[in-house]
């Protein structure tokens, strides 16, 4: 299938469907194989190369679009995992409403006792005939309050080492025993939730992959999460450093020599980091994927923290204020609309979410630099015998 | 523009690297540094004649390669990686750029051929952004008198290029007094250059900021090479070295430091490539790019060298292990052609980040 074939399919589709009815239009687009062209026919795709998707997007620009924010977990993590490990029935059941946004997905992975060491998670799923009974607590779940379904990793065998006793499920977020509570952050608002699972009964037809194979299935999900962290192009002096320099230029009375020296250092670091990102994108498009990607998130986290901290300090009296402590839900990170205090506090999460900076340094050291891992004390020990 | 290396650049790198691997191994460099002739002029001749590095920046009509700052930067990366004691930076970059800016042609041809070596008589510590100390004067008879300290590459130069005010003078080396002083950097020693009524000839204008900023922007690539060697060598060492029955590189306290150093070097490469690319294009942003690269790569090269000494433990403190050659080069280069702080001050002006009023 060529780009021209895909373009003419998209044009034919557009000629015969009314974009005015959003939901009907998106359903029909899925059925026409124009949702994600690299998916198989019958599942929203055409079995075409992934890069032809942009042809479809071009042809269908201006028609109803997906909400990539609230649908992000579904599209980016659940869908590729269901496609790779789901049964035919599961793919048929879940992918269409996932794509159209009629059903929102969330991710039940992290737990209070399992952050960096995800494989040590303790949420139990115990078999009961054709069902599984799930008990445990999950945390840092964005969108749980919107979600119809969740991707869930739970422990089904406590007698084997931690990586081997896990099983992957689709969790029905409307099932009895699922309780979602907003998790208030240091910024005052709640971007995330805690999810309590108490005697939640899931049919065995909601299991994704084999019993005990959950870690391998979860790797597929996490691999797709890492792909998403790359960083978009920024112009010179833009992004977080731009917010600080705007204040710096417009408020000369705030300037001191000490702040000036620190600002210049951070400006230079922002610029070299921006250039490294640009170089990385060049390498990727030239087909030479470099290891540089692993480091970009480390740099952005520390720069965001240092710059937002400097911003608050620079503002003096105004830095003592805070724009809004109210406890409300929020679906996104708003670095540009909110105050300097919010940015300072929210940036603290940048070195924790999506892999802590410490874990990322291990990844760079082991996978890029080829250094040996620390001796593992938990590798061959049954999960139930691990100190917790 | 691209921040990657072109195929031609990679070929140039490979031929320089092969030659240096053969002729400029660390123990040979150390031995030479201890001798009375720290520069390897045989190696320099081979580099100049076989690979043509001496005339890289000289236009083809004057017998040069007509290449750009991008190719010169690649050569500097390799020379930095080997702390090669050759006058590429001083003759083929700084003196050559001064001649190009001054509009001189004859000497350029001789430099391009690789038979003649020149040095720009300014302190290696000269900043692109500040007037040079006025220590040389022109007498009524047109001869030069005075002294310039901390000049690099002068003792092996055939021709000295001496800025006096806004004029650039040409002085034959035999008319100058060149005294090498014990130098922090063993592989690029400095000398005091004195003139006592030396005959000189004006060859054109000296544009300090343009010449020295070009040099600083390219020195960043040499610093990248120094940093890369220190990173690679330290990495290899901590994989081999065992303590407590483990490679020391398996300790998280070491791994995290290495990850940070790697990330610094990754960004140094992007900064150095960007500076070389914009200097090659004569972009109006070249000055800013050079200042960014100079301040970042200076500090990164030094930091990686310092960490390299520390992570080598006792052996890193010995004269026998070559890491000290890189530490000394990195520390001296931090001062050369503007300190990191001087370049950040330039960033303040160029990126509209003014200081307190």
């Amino acid at each position: 299938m060529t780009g021209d074939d895909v373009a003419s399919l998209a044009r034919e589709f557009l000629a015969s469907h009314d974009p005015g009815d959003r939901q009907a239009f998106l359903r029909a687009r899925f059925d026409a194989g124009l949702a994600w062209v690299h998916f198989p026919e019958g599942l929203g795709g055409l079995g075409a190369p992934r890069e032809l998707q942009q042809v479809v997007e071009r042809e269908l620009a201006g028609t109803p679009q997906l909400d990539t924010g609230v649908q992000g977990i579904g599209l980016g993590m659940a869908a590729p995992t269901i496609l790779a490990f789901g049964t035919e029935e599961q793919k048929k059941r879940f992918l269409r409403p996932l794509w159209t946004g009629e059903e929102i997905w969330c991710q039940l992975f992290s737990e209070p006792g399992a952050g960096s060491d995800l494989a040590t998670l303790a949420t139990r799923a115990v078999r009961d005939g054709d069902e599984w009974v799930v008990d445990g607590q999950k945390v840092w779940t964005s969108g749980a309050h919107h979600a119809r379904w969740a991707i869930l990793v739970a422990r089904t065998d406590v007698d084997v080492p931690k990586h081997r006793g896990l099983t992957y499920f689709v969790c029905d977020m409307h099932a009895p025993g699922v309780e979602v509570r907003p998790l208030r952050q240091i910024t005052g608002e709640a971007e995330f939730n805690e999810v309590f699972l108490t005697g939640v009964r899931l049919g065995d037809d909601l299991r994704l992959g084999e019993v005990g194979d959950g870690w391998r299935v979860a790797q597929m999900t996490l691999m797709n999460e890492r792909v998403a962290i790359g960083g978009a192009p920024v112009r010179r002096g833009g992004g977080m450093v731009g917010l600080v320099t705007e204040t710096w230029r417009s408020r000369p009375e705030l300037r001191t020599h000490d702040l000036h020296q620190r600002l210049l250092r951070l400006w230079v670091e922002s610029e070299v980091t921006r250039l490294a990102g640009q170089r990385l994108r060049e390498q990727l498009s030239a087909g030479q994927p470099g290891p540089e990607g692993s480091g970009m998130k480390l740099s952005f986290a520390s720069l965001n923290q240092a710059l937002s901290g400097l911003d608050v300090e620079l503002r003096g009296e105004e830095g003592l204020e805070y724009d809004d402590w109210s406890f409300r839900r929020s679906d996104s990170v708003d670095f540009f609309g909110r105050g300097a205090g919010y940015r300072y506090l929210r940036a603290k999460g940048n070195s924790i979410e999506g892999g802590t900076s410490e874990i990322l340094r291990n990844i760079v050291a082991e996978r890029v630099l080829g250094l040996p891992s620390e001796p593992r004390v938990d590798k061959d020990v049954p999960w139930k015998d691990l100190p917790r | 523009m691209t921040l990657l290396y072109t195929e031609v650049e990679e070929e140039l790198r490979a031929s320089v690297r092969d030659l240096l691997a053969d002729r400029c191994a660390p123990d040979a460099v150390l031995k030479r540094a201890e001798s009375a002739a720290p520069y390897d002029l045989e190696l320099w001749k081979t580099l100049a004649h076989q690979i043509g590095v001496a005339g890289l920046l000289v236009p083809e009509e004057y017998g040069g390669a007509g290449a750009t700052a991008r190719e010169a930067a690649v050569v500097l990366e390799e020379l930095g990686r080997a702390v090669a004691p050759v006058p590429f930076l001083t003759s083929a970059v700084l003196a050559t750029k001064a001649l190009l800016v001054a509009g001189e042609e004859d000497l350029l041809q001789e430099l391009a051929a690789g038979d003649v070596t020149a040095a720009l008589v300014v302190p290696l510590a000269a900043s692109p952004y500040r007037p040079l100390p006025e220590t040389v004067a022109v007498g009524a008879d047109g001869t030069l008198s005075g002294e310039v300290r901390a000049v690099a590459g002068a003792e092996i130069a055939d021709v000295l290029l001496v800025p006096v005010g806004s004029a650039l003078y040409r002085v034959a080396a035999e008319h100058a007094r060149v005294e090498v002083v014990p130098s922090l950097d063993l592989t690029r020693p400095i000398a005091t250059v004195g003139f006592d009524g030396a005959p000189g000839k004006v060859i054109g204008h000296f544009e300090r900021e343009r010449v020295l900023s070009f040099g600083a922007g390219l020195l960043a690539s040499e610093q990248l090479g120094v940093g890369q060697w220190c990173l690679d060598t330290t990495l290899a060492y901590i994989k081999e070295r065992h303590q407590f029955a483990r490679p020391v590189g398996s300790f998280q306290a070491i791994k995290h430091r290495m990850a940070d150093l790697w990330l610094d070097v990754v960004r140094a490469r992007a900064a150095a490539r960007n500076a070389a690319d914009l200097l090659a294009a004569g972009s109006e942003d070249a000055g800013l790019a050079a200042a960014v690269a100079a301040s970042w790569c200076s500090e990164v090269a030094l930091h990686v060298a310092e960490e390299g000494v520390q992570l080598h433990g006792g052996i890193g403190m010995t004269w026998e292990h070559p890491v000290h050659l890189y530490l000394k080069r990195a520390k001296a280069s931090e001062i050369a052609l503007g300190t990191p702080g001087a370049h950040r001050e330039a960033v303040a002006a160029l990126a509209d980040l003014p200081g307190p009023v």
Side-chain angles (χ1 to χ4, degrees), chain B residues 3-4 10 74 76 101 103 105 111 116 124 132 161 163 168 212 218-219 225 230 305 316 322 324:
Chain B
L3 297 177
L4 306 181
E10 289 294 7
V74 170
L76 279 163
V101 170
E105 292 172 12
L111 289 184
V116 168
L124 185 59
L132 294 169
L161 303 177
L168 187 64
L212 297 187
L218 282 184
L219 177 58
C230 292
H324 67 99

Side-chain angles (χ1 to χ4, degrees), chain B residues 13-14 16-21 24-26 29 73-85 221-233 269 322 325-326 329:
Chain B
R13 177 200 302 286
V16 175
R17 184 175 291 195
D18 285 351
L19 180 66
L20 294 177
C24 194
V29 175
V74 170
V75 172
L76 279 163
E77 279 183 37
E78 292 307 309
L79 296 176
R81 196 169 159 275
V83 282
S221 283
E222 189 191 277
Q223 290 164 322
L224 167 64
V226 168
Q228 185 72 59
W229 184 91
C230 292
L231 183 71
D232 295 345
T233 304
R269 186 172 306 283
L325 297 175
Y326 291 81
R329 171 65 68 84

Side-chain angles (χ1 to χ4, degrees), chain A residues 83-308:
Chain A
L83 181 66
F85 291 97
T87 62
E88 288 313 307
E89 293 76 47
Q90 287 170 333
K91 293 178 200 174
K92 284 266 179 248
R93 165 63 189 87
F94 292 122
L95 289 175
R96 188 174 185 252
L98 179 157
W99 188 82
T100 60
E102 288 162 83
E103 291 178 349
I104 299 304
W105 287 68
C106 65
Q107 182 198 19
L108 299 175
F109 279 27
S110 292
E111 296 182 4
S116 294
D117 182 12
L118 181 64
T120 202
L121 62 85
T123 291
R124 294 290 311 277
V126 178
R127 187 140 201 172
D128 181 19
D130 276 347
E131 290 186 321
W132 295 85
V133 182
V134 182
D135 284 278
Q137 182 188 347
K138 296 288 182 175
V139 74
W140 300 116
T141 312
S142 52
H145 52 297
H146 299 304
R148 176 68 186 83
W149 301 105
I151 42 179
L152 164 74
V153 187
R155 184 158 308 279
T156 46
D157 187 348
V158 300
D159 295 318
V160 293
K162 60 182 187 179
H163 290 95
R164 284 192 256 143
L166 300 171
T167 303
Y168 202 108
F169 297 93
V170 170
C171 178
D172 179 354
M173 293 297 284
H174 289 177
V178 176
E179 189 197 346
V180 176
R181 293 186 205 158
L183 178 59
R184 195 175 192 189
Q185 296 154 225
I186 60 175
T187 53
E189 61 180 13
E191 280 173 66
F192 303 94
N193 299 280
E194 293 178 287
V195 177
F196 295 84
L197 305 165
T198 314
V200 176
R201 302 190 80 86
L202 302 176
D204 191 50
D205 57 349
L206 289 176
R207 174 167 50 81
L208 212 54
E210 297 303 312
V211 174
D213 206 23
W215 184 249
R216 195 166 68 92
V217 183
Q219 288 309 305
M220 166 67 78
T221 309
L222 295 171
M223 242 164 53
N224 278 285
E225 179 181 36
R226 292 203 179 106
V227 170
I229 301 168
V234 208
R235 68 183 167 78
R236 189 175 73 207
M240 190 66 103
V241 75
L243 290 168
V244 189
T245 53
E246 220 175 88
T247 314
W248 182 267
R249 287 178 190 135
S250 61
R251 310 268 303 271
E253 76 282 4
L254 298 175
R255 298 176 199 157
T256 68
H257 289 287
D258 167 64
L259 287 166
H260 194 218
Q261 296 308 315
R262 285 152 59 199
L263 175 66
L264 290 172
R265 271 187 183 279
L266 290 171
W267 194 93
V268 168
E269 188 176 349
S270 300
E271 174 63 356
V272 299
T273 304
R274 181 187 76 86
L275 291 167
Q278 189 179 321
R279 189 161 193 275
L280 173 66
R281 280 188 299 277
E282 272 196 70
Q283 278 177 312
L284 291 174
S285 63
Q288 347 166 341
E292 277 86 347
S294 335
M296 296 311 292
K297 182 180 176 280
L298 271 172
S299 308
F300 283 120
S302 81
L303 269 171
N304 280 352
Q305 292 171 354
L307 284 163
S308 59

Side-chain angles (χ1 to χ4, degrees), chain B residues 152 206 220 293-294 302 322:
Chain B
F206 178 64
L302 183 57

Side-chain angles (χ1 to χ4, degrees), chain B residues 118-165:
Chain B
L120 182 65
V121 182
V122 298
L124 185 59
S127 161
Y129 317 110
R130 278 173 191 247
L132 294 169
E134 290 181 21
T135 55
V136 178
V138 182
D141 58 353
T143 63
L144 274 59
S145 296
E147 195 176 82
V148 183
R149 290 177 58 192
V151 181
E155 72 272 34
I156 44 143
D158 306 294
V159 180
L160 299 173
L161 303 177
V162 191
V164 182

